[in-house]
Amino acid sequence: MPPDNEAIAEQVFVALADPSRRAILGALAAEGPATATDLAGRLPITRQAIAKHLALLAEAGLVTAQPGERRRVRYRLRSAPMQVAQQFLAALARDWDGPLGALKDHLDRSASGPAATDAAKP
């Protein structure tokens, strides 16, 4: 994975590590663009805390701020950084699938080998 994508994936994982930020992303995914005030009305988080979380989510590229009427800023989800993180996880899974499959096969052979031989003895 290119260094740029690794940095993006790291920012996404840092952003997703916090349950409040995951709740904010979930609310935006379920109900569409919203202001910090709207989100504070939906979630058990203060408006000030939501504003701080939104700033980190914007820095990670997961949300964009859209200026609205009367200086109200609406936040919208961006999927591109999440797709980079998914690609990172898929590559990691591919790297582990072969060795883990080989380990499973080895353990299956080891478990069936001696047990089958012992069971056949009187």
Side-chain angles (χ1 to χ4, degrees):
M1 177 176 286
D4 296 3
N5 286 349
E6 279 191 36
I8 291 168
E10 182 178 352
Q11 285 186 313
V12 169
F13 295 136
V14 167
L16 294 177
D18 184 274
S20 295
R21 289 191 289 271
R22 290 192 306 269
I24 291 168
L25 290 173
L28 291 172
E31 300 179 34
T35 65
T37 303
D38 295 337
L39 291 166
R42 296 181 205 161
L43 301 169
I45 309 167
T46 67
R47 189 202 169 289
Q48 293 79 8
I50 285 177
K52 288 182 180 182
H53 287 302
L54 285 168
L56 193 142
L57 291 169
E59 186 178 311
L62 292 168
V63 299
T64 57
Q66 299 177 314
E69 55 194 52
R70 292 183 290 193
R71 297 185 336 187
R72 293 185 62 158
V73 177
R74 298 182 71 74
Y75 292 88
R76 176 183 301 275
L77 284 179
R78 284 190 67 240
S79 63
M82 194 70 77
Q83 291 170 350
V84 171
Q86 288 174 327
Q87 290 169 354
F88 174 84
L89 291 174
L92 190 63
R94 280 190 304 272
D95 290 346
W96 279 94
D97 284 346
L100 288 175
L103 176 61
K104 180 188 179 306
D105 292 346
H106 173 74
L107 293 174
D108 288 346
R109 283 191 305 274
S110 296
S112 63
T117 305
D118 291 343
K121 292 181 183 176

